[in-house]
Amino acid sequence: MSEVSWIAVDWGTTQLRVWALSAGGEVLQHAASARGMGSLAVDQFEGALLELIDGWLDAERVTEVVACGMVGARQGWREAPYAEVPCAPQAMARMIRPEVSDARMRVSIIPGLCQRTPADVLRGEETQISGLLSEWPDYHGLVCLPGTHSKWAEVRDGQVIGFQTFMTGELFALLSGQSVLRHGMRGDQPFDLPAFEVGLRAASERPLLGALFGLRAESLLEGLAPAAAWARLSGLLIGQELAGLPERWQGLSVCVIGDGQAAERYRHALATLNISAQTLGAEQVTLAGLAAAHQHIRGGF
Amino acid sequence: MSEVSWIAVDWGTTQLRVWALSAGGEVLQHAASARGMGSLAVDQFEGALLELIDGWLDAERVTEVVACGMVGARQGWREAPYAEVPCAPQAMARMIRPEVSDARMRVSIIPGLCQRTPADVLRGEETQISGLLSEWPDYHGLVCLPGTHSKWAEVRDGQVIGFQTFMTGELFALLSGQSVLRHGMRGDQPFDLPAFEVGLRAASERPLLGALFGLRAESLLEGLAPAAAWARLSGLLIGQELAGLPERWQGLSVCVIGDGQAAERYRHALATLNISAQTLGAEQVTLAGLAAAHQHIRGGF
């Protein structure tokens, strides 16, 4: 294969994903493991990384490894303190380098972003936003990043102006898997899009804490189908999220990052509110953002 | 001791509580176990009950046992189908009698209530509302029953006009114990009332799904104390509940049922919104409601 020029790393709480890239930016190899930051002690990070990339390293030279995500959290490999918005998504000057014992690599960790009022933080998404700006340098609008904690960021003039985290995905997992609602719902059937839309509409009509138990009551009284209850819950929560976006963001363009089911649901939810959204693939923007950071490092960080 | 006239039973999902009463309504004995409806198969209910009341029964006559709560659910001892509001809290005509093998007792189960639009159900609270009406037959206003699922009911002319369940307590348990927020909160310290009030106010200023992650971010960025984060979360959720009460209920009197910490927090939350509330003890109204049902049974059900 052609020579590995550098290695891109997306290291989240539950997953570690790595890519070997050529000098021309081509993906030569890809690997992943479940050794996320949440399962590692500080002295286990280098080993977890080498487990995946050892064969890509060259004994004759130092390969740059560029990482983003929770690996830079306080409980991660080494803390990369947040940069405060408004600022460019990747705070290159604050990138940090954990010590490594393997001389074949040099690792850089990209810091996350923080916001003082209202208090908020993110790690990993800054790199996806940077990747979006690599594609569209003049982008002005909102970036929607669905996930366990979905993030919405306002981007203008190459900077992140502000952002907002919603615990929508985590709440969905808790409510569908561990609350009393679990008795009346199933997620192993085809997604019930009409029920999702009913949930979306209900989100603006009824307060969330009251609407939730309604799903249980409809199961008991009207035999609401488990797959419909599942989709209704998803619609209720995503609908609440969209209804809770700050007013100053009304009317801005939206780009949803992601290629999976979650992103598809957000796009559908936005469309039902007559908000058209562009889309970029998550892996595509993550790699573009890591490449932007690598360019900077090569330029002499 | 004086003779046991009848036995009152409050049988919830996790707890079984029983009282032996004299003909004059005096509590002669009290007992409880953790053999709630959730842990019992249909053929285990009689045994679980006898475990607590066997010594109170008289071989020479049949003692009336009057029960309310989840014991009458579809997964309970025997289903007592819901009565539909508007109606009197205790649908005496729909009381059901599970078969028992012990000839010393006759068991009656009080049905719960249902509402079609919006769909809602309750079991057990109907008896507490009936108990409130025993104390105050002309009560016109709202009854607030805090709990894992808090219930609000509108009572007028001796009837339950409508009601609304909120999953506030269950959501608090899931978020404080199992979500990412658990890392920044502790509930084993004195309750932080000022932080609770901050949460109450924030509930009306910011959408819930966004405000939740703010607690995590404030822990990371500003060192928000774990006890304060705990109380803030409680305030956020109870504040959302109060903000979500139907508009048609504005201006009605409020009576909070309960003597524990949860009821105290609801009273405090209502007071910060300038809503004064009366209070009745939970055991007091449960027993009064079970006594009302017993009166009816003696009258010839």
Side-chain angles (χ1 to χ4, degrees), chain A residues 74-75 82 114-116 118-122 149 151 164-168 170-171 174-175 178-182 206-222 236-238 240-241 243-245, chain B residues 74-75 82 114-116 118-122 149 151 164-168 170-171 174-175 178-182 206-222 236-238 240-241 243-245:
Chain A
R74 205 171 298 164
Q75 303 81 11
Y82 299 109
C114 72
Q115 175 178 279
R116 291 289 153 186
D120 214 330
V121 294
L122 58 75
H149 298 159
K151 310 272 179 181
Q164 167 74 57
T165 303
F166 295 90
M167 286 183 60
T168 313
E170 183 165 16
L171 210 53
L174 288 170
L175 287 168
Q178 300 195 54
S179 83
V180 70
L181 301 183
R182 74 184 185 281
R206 238 181 125 187
L208 180 64
L209 294 179
L212 289 174
F213 191 75
L215 295 177
R216 176 69 182 147
E218 282 197 41
S219 297
L220 291 168
L221 297 178
E222 289 158 30
L236 268 177
L237 293 175
I238 293 177
Q240 281 279 332
E241 174 178 330
L245 293 174
Chain B
R74 204 171 298 165
Q75 303 81 12
Y82 299 108
C114 73
Q115 175 177 279
R116 292 288 154 186
D120 215 330
V121 293
L122 58 76
H149 297 161
K151 310 272 179 183
Q164 167 75 57
T165 304
F166 295 90
M167 287 182 60
T168 313
E170 183 165 16
L171 210 53
L174 287 170
L175 287 167
Q178 300 194 53
S179 82
V180 69
L181 301 183
R182 74 185 185 280
R206 238 182 124 186
L208 180 64
L209 293 179
L212 290 174
F213 191 76
L215 295 176
R216 177 69 183 147
E218 282 196 42
S219 297
L220 292 168
L221 297 177
E222 289 157 31
L236 267 177
L237 293 175
I238 292 177
Q240 281 279 330
E241 175 178 330
L245 292 174

Side-chain angles (χ1 to χ4, degrees), chain A residues 40-53:
Chain A
L40 297 172
V42 67
D43 59 354
Q44 297 177 307
F45 282 86
E46 185 172 354
L49 181 61
L50 285 170
E51 209 174 81
L52 296 183
I53 70 167

Side-chain angles (χ1 to χ4, degrees), chain B residues 107-131:
Chain B
V107 178
S108 302
I109 301 178
I110 300 164
L113 301 180
C114 73
Q115 175 177 279
R116 292 288 154 186
T117 312
D120 215 330
V121 293
L122 58 76
R123 280 193 190 277
E125 291 86 359
E126 78 293 330
T127 293
Q128 298 190 304
I129 296 168
S130 167

Side-chain angles (χ1 to χ4, degrees), chain A:
Chain A
M1 72 180 188
S2 51
E3 192 178 271
V4 173
S5 166
W6 65 285
I7 294 168
V9 178
D10 180 10
W11 208 330
T13 304
T14 59
Q15 272 216 322
L16 166 57
R17 297 185 305 154
V18 297
W19 297 262
L21 291 123
S22 71
E26 189 194 353
V27 173
L28 305 173
Q29 301 236 32
H30 172 53
S33 80
R35 301 191 72 184
M37 161 277 212
S39 66
L40 297 172
V42 67
D43 59 354
Q44 297 177 307
F45 282 86
E46 185 172 354
L49 181 61
L50 285 170
E51 209 174 81
L52 296 183
I53 70 167
D54 187 72
W56 303 345
L57 299 174
D58 182 340
E60 304 301 313
R61 63 182 186 87
V62 176
T63 300
E64 294 286 355
V65 176
V66 185
C68 69
M70 292 300 284
V71 64
R74 205 171 298 164
Q75 303 81 11
W77 190 349
R78 196 176 135 198
E79 184 176 6
Y82 299 109
E84 188 174 337
V85 297
C87 62
Q90 288 177 323
M92 305 293 192
R94 284 165 166 269
M95 243 182 296
I96 59 107
R97 297 225 163 97
E99 281 183 41
V100 293
S101 49
D102 192 315
R104 296 172 299 164
M105 67 179 178
R106 189 166 67 161
V107 178
S108 302
I109 300 178
I110 300 164
L113 300 180
C114 72
Q115 175 178 279
R116 291 289 153 186
T117 313
D120 214 330
V121 294
L122 58 75
R123 281 193 190 276
E125 291 86 0
E126 78 294 329
T127 293
Q128 298 190 304
I129 296 167
S130 168
L132 175 142
L133 286 170
S134 299
E135 309 264 343
W136 302 328
D138 299 325
Y139 184 74
H140 174 194
L142 301 177
V143 187
C144 166
L145 303 119
T148 303
H149 298 159
S150 69
K151 310 272 179 181
W152 286 76
E154 181 186 355
V155 171
R156 192 175 64 218
D157 301 329
Q159 293 208 320
V160 178
I161 306 302
F163 62 97
Q164 167 74 57
T165 303
F166 295 90
M167 286 183 60
T168 313
E170 183 165 16
L171 210 53
F172 181 80
L174 288 170
L175 287 168
S176 63
Q178 300 195 54
S179 83
V180 70
L181 301 183
R182 74 184 185 281
H183 300 301
M185 51 183 62
R186 286 182 60 174
D188 58 355
Q189 287 165 317
F191 192 69
D192 186 336
L193 209 55
F196 178 69
E197 289 169 359
V198 170
L200 283 174
R201 280 192 297 273
S204 58
E205 288 159 10
R206 238 181 125 187
L208 180 64
L209 294 179
L212 289 174
F213 191 75
L215 295 177
R216 176 69 182 147
E218 282 197 41
S219 297
L220 291 168
L221 297 178
E222 289 158 30
L224 178 66
W230 173 271
R232 279 265 290 277
L233 177 62
S234 176
L236 268 177
L237 293 175
I238 293 177
Q240 281 279 332
E241 174 178 330
L242 297 183
L245 293 174
E247 252 178 64
R248 65 178 184 282
W249 286 354
Q250 303 276 332
L252 292 177
S253 335
V254 177
C255 178
V256 178
I257 304 289
D259 8 49
Q261 286 189 331
E264 182 48 50
R265 281 181 214 167
Y266 275 81
R267 272 194 299 272
H268 190 85
L270 287 163
T272 64
L273 299 177
N274 291 318
I275 299 169
S276 66
Q278 295 174 286
T279 306
L280 285 174
E283 183 169 316
Q284 170 192 356
V285 293
T286 300
L287 281 173
L290 288 166
H294 175 245
Q295 283 288 344
H296 178 84
I297 291 164
R298 279 186 55 196
F301 159 62

